Amino acid sequence: LYEQFDRLALKHKCTKIETIGGYYIVTGPGKERCPEGGMDGVVRVALFALDAMKFVQNFQYKGMRLQIKAGFATGPIVSGVIPSALPKYTVFGDTVNFSSRMQSTSKPMMIQCPEKSYNPLRKSPGFDFELEEREEDGQLGVFVKGKGHTLTYWVKGCVEVDKTKDVVDMVTSKSARENVPDKDNILDEDKESGASDEIDLEEAIGSGVDDGGEKRRVSFKLAD
């Protein structure tokens, strides 16, 4: 099971910190390590958790199905090596504790996150996350030790969104708008050159072609 989690961590470019008993701990890269317009660290962790859930759904151990629960939080952490008889690298800070609370107060086969993680997931470019407010007995959120009653969300799924078509449409539309001649500019240029009010549209927007394949010249007079 942990070997598969290791592969998923590499897939989503998360850093495996350690395993403690039944806990598997990973971190996502900070903003300073994410290229502009690239995938945010919290998005990577959420995708890792979703893939881990999918794997466990079909995983059996000695004929038994397992259930896990997951949680994560967003914020600064401190990392370092603990000096001891067996030195090891680990992470510290309120964000680590908060993540642990998100996991411990989660439910089997569910992923829980706080509002600070919800916002970047909701606005993530390229991914459409299915997010749902947690509600218990008609009250939103859950009590978290050290934090009090906290608004949290379930991360239930994600669909990758192809925004290439939207970008192409936007660029095409912008290009079309930029190529449309400005009538006022045409009029000003004609007045400065002493030209007649009659304007040949062939020079402004090109020649049209009729059904016979011959060019059609169109002109009109501007009304005062």
Side-chain angles (χ1 to χ4, degrees):
L1 181 64
Y2 283 172
E3 288 179 355
Q4 177 62 23
F5 285 178
D6 289 345
R7 287 189 282 269
L8 292 177
L10 289 173
K11 171 185 174 182
H12 296 293
K13 298 182 179 179
C14 294
T15 302
K16 176 185 176 182
I17 302 300
E18 59 183 340
T19 57
I20 306 176
Y23 293 91
Y24 189 96
I25 305 173
V26 301
T27 62
K31 289 186 177 181
E32 67 279 359
R33 295 182 58 190
C34 296
E36 185 176 353
M39 194 185 303
D40 197 76
V42 65
V43 176
R44 296 185 185 278
V45 172
L47 293 174
F48 165 81
L50 287 168
D51 273 357
M53 287 291 175
K54 290 178 182 177
F55 176 77
V56 171
Q57 285 177 350
N58 301 315
F59 180 80
Q60 291 189 10
Y61 176 73
K62 294 182 178 180
M64 298 182 294
R65 291 193 177 276
L66 303 180
Q67 288 188 322
I68 62 174
K69 54 183 182 179
F72 58 88
T74 304
I77 60 173
V78 176
S79 61
V81 177
I82 300 176
S84 63
L86 185 62
K88 69 172 183 176
Y89 176 82
T90 188
V91 291
F92 312 88
D94 181 67
T95 304
V96 179
N97 294 332
F98 198 10
S99 297
S100 176
R101 303 298 184 215
M102 288 293 96
Q103 186 276 335
S104 62
T105 60
S106 184
K107 292 184 176 182
M109 301 307 292
M110 299 289 282
I111 306 168
Q112 182 176 224
C113 73
E115 190 169 16
K116 191 173 181 180
S117 300
Y118 162 81
N119 289 324
L121 292 180
R122 182 175 58 85
K123 300 175 182 178
S124 172
F127 294 94
D128 183 10
F129 282 91
E130 182 184 354
L131 304 164
E132 180 182 297
E133 288 180 315
R134 179 171 183 171
E135 184 176 350
E136 299 290 335
D137 299 325
Q139 187 175 19
L140 296 177
V142 65
F143 179 82
V144 177
K145 184 179 178 181
K147 297 287 185 180
H149 198 85
T150 304
L151 183 63
T152 63
Y153 297 82
W154 299 121
V155 183
K156 306 187 75 173
C158 177
V159 176
E160 189 169 359
V161 179
D162 183 8
K163 294 192 175 182
T164 305
K165 182 178 182 300
D166 295 337
V167 173
V168 171
D169 290 343
M170 181 180 66
V171 172
T172 303
S173 177
K174 181 180 179 182
S175 176
R177 290 196 303 270
E178 290 176 348
N179 290 332
V180 172
D182 190 323
K183 183 181 72 175
D184 294 334
N185 290 340
I186 295 174
L187 179 59
D188 291 341
E189 291 173 1
D190 284 342
K191 286 185 176 180
E192 290 175 1
S193 62
S196 166
D197 284 345
E198 185 172 315
I199 296 176
D200 189 343
L201 289 187
E202 183 180 27
E203 296 179 1
I205 60 175
S207 300
V209 179
D210 63 19
D211 295 335
E214 298 179 355
K215 290 185 177 180
R216 179 190 305 157
R217 297 173 64 86
V218 182
S219 63
F220 66 96
K221 282 186 175 290
L222 296 175
D224 295 333

